[in-house]
Amino acid sequence: MKYDDWVAEVPEPLTADVLWTVKAYRLGLFASDLGWRDVTKLQRDRRTVSLANQLYRALGGISATIAEGYSRSTGKERARYYEFALGSAREARDHYYKGRHILGKAVLEHRLKLLTRIIKLTLTMIPDQRQKNIKLTRSR
């Protein structure tokens, strides 16, 4: 599934929300949808059932914690949730690497590239939110 095709199928209530403007959130949802197929494949092999469950939770945690953080009132609180999303993306990347023998090289490379993109985006979101918080709370 390609990202543009996927976006075309996302229901309007999600795309109409201002949260949709956060690219890391959109990519997290996309990764979660792609992961559904990958998790199903991993669950078929008894050796990777546990890995499949961990991967599913990590992928779901990316967009969920970004959404939770986006609703917080201060930059410091938002940054903390974005850090959780960063951790979920890194964890998912680790699980994909461990499942590479079953998922195959093409899937691994695509998912690692997507998750690395999410990681880079969250790595820029976190300090941006912390700086906003510092600027808002300083008194002169």
Side-chain angles (χ1 to χ4, degrees):
M1 176 183 297
K2 292 184 180 181
Y3 177 75
D4 291 335
D5 297 336
W6 174 82
V7 168
E9 295 179 10
V10 176
E12 192 270 332
L14 285 177
T15 60
D17 191 319
V18 69
L19 178 60
W20 188 254
T21 63
V22 179
K23 190 170 192 169
Y25 172 74
R26 291 191 315 264
L27 291 175
L29 283 176
F30 179 56
S32 185
D33 272 2
L34 288 176
W36 183 260
R37 295 176 190 181
D38 303 334
V39 165
T40 301
K41 190 171 185 180
L42 289 170
Q43 282 186 327
R44 289 184 193 135
D45 189 312
R46 65 178 173 76
R47 297 169 296 178
T48 55
V49 169
S50 176
L51 178 65
N53 293 335
Q54 292 174 326
L55 176 60
Y56 182 71
R57 285 195 317 270
L59 288 169
I62 298 168
S63 59
T65 52
I66 290 173
E68 181 70 22
Y70 192 82
S71 67
R72 298 301 168 155
S73 61
T74 68
K76 185 177 180 180
E77 290 177 4
R78 283 189 297 274
R80 184 179 45 200
Y81 280 90
Y82 295 163
E83 287 170 349
F84 296 152
L86 171 62
S88 292
R90 286 180 167 160
E91 181 183 350
R93 192 170 60 173
D94 180 72
H95 295 319
Y96 268 112
Y97 181 76
K98 291 173 183 170
R100 71 190 182 280
H101 303 293
I102 292 174
L103 297 173
K105 185 178 179 179
V107 169
L108 174 70
E109 288 178 0
H110 181 264
R111 303 312 187 260
L112 293 182
K113 184 177 177 181
L114 175 61
L115 290 165
T116 299
R117 193 168 169 202
I118 294 168
I119 289 167
K120 287 179 180 180
L121 287 167
T122 54
L123 281 171
T124 60
M125 291 165 61
I126 293 164
D128 181 52
Q129 292 302 315
R130 290 202 183 282
Q131 288 175 358
K132 287 181 181 174
N133 188 45
I134 292 167
K135 289 178 184 174
L136 293 173
T137 59
R138 273 193 195 160
S139 59
R140 293 202 183 238

